[in-house]
Amino acid sequence: TVFITMLIINPYNEYTISIYQWFRIIFGCISFILFLLITVKIKKNRVYVIVLAGSFLLILGNILTIVFSNMYFFLNTVVIETMIFWGLINYTNKISQKSRVALQYELEGERKLMDGLRELDLAKSNFYANISHELRTPLALIATPIQEKLNQKNLSTEDRKEYELILRNNTRLTNLVDQLLDL
């Protein structure tokens, strides 16, 4: 806090250079240690390797600036690191764009598949409706003469039982066809 107060009061005094140098030395050492720790834990990914290479250049420029007291080392490495990161951003954008295009094609294929499934479902529904109507008509034509026979007074008991059985089965089939139509 004393050094910071001195910097605020008189920033152009000669001790500001030594504080600046000490800050750069400490920052450079901490950055280098962190760089080594990250390098040990790095995954096999191009993006991580490029970021670490750019960071290493920046740390190297900082150390060379401290050793040789020449600010151009640091500025050169900053420019190189900026170019590396610019290239990295372009590279990741290109990869992202390729994956977006691939996902878009996949989505389009899924839409086509869904449309095909809808058409198939519609065709099945039409098929069931047509079959149901085709079955219902003959069943209605069978039921009418049987009903007329059952309305006759001179029908024997045995014939009446047979006609009732036929009418009952006709009604069951008509109900099943109606269920198909509802489906």
Side-chain angles (χ1 to χ4, degrees):
T1 58
V2 173
F3 290 119
I4 294 173
T5 309
M6 292 170 68
L7 273 173
I8 293 171
I9 294 172
N10 189 2
Y12 299 106
N13 204 342
E14 58 189 65
Y15 55 78
T16 58
I17 295 172
S18 64
I19 292 172
Y20 177 70
Q21 288 293 73
W22 276 108
F23 173 76
R24 293 198 58 173
I25 290 169
I26 292 170
F27 174 76
C29 291
I30 291 172
S31 298
F32 190 68
I33 291 169
L34 286 174
F35 172 78
L36 291 176
L37 288 174
I38 292 172
T39 305
V40 170
K41 303 259 183 185
I42 192 169
K43 297 178 181 176
K44 303 267 182 195
N45 188 336
R46 289 182 191 170
V47 174
Y48 292 135
V49 172
I50 293 171
V51 168
L52 281 176
S55 300
F56 179 73
L57 283 175
L58 190 61
I59 293 168
L60 183 67
N62 192 24
I63 291 171
L64 289 174
T65 301
I66 292 168
V67 170
F68 294 111
S69 297
N70 187 350
M71 194 65 176
Y72 290 115
F73 287 113
F74 186 70
L75 293 176
N76 289 337
T77 55
V78 166
V79 169
I80 292 171
E81 183 186 28
T82 304
M83 290 171 59
I84 288 172
F85 285 138
W86 177 75
L88 178 66
I89 289 170
N90 283 337
Y91 173 75
T92 55
N93 284 343
K94 189 175 184 181
I95 289 175
S96 297
Q97 185 177 6
K98 284 182 181 179
S99 66
R100 278 193 303 264
V101 167
L103 288 174
Q104 186 177 5
Y105 282 130
E106 185 179 329
L107 181 63
E108 187 176 316
E110 287 179 10
R111 283 184 185 149
K112 286 181 181 178
L113 179 65
M114 291 301 294
D115 289 342
L117 290 175
R118 278 191 206 109
E119 288 177 18
L120 181 63
D121 188 44
L122 183 62
K124 285 180 183 179
S125 296
N126 288 337
F127 174 75
Y128 282 123
N130 290 338
I131 290 290
S132 299
H133 282 294
E134 291 299 319
L135 290 174
R136 200 164 199 282
T137 303
L139 287 173
L141 293 174
I142 292 171
T144 304
I146 292 173
Q147 192 66 42
E148 288 176 5
K149 285 285 189 184
L150 285 173
N151 289 338
Q152 290 178 359
K153 303 287 183 198
N154 59 358
L155 196 61
S156 71
T157 310
E158 239 180 71
D159 287 341
R160 184 170 295 282
K161 283 183 183 180
E162 288 179 6
Y163 285 127
E164 285 175 353
L165 178 67
I166 293 171
L167 186 62
R168 207 173 29 248
N169 285 327
N170 188 308
T171 306
R172 275 179 54 204
L173 281 174
T174 304
N175 287 337
L176 289 173
V177 169
D178 286 342
Q179 287 178 8
L180 273 176
L181 268 173
D182 291 340
L183 180 70

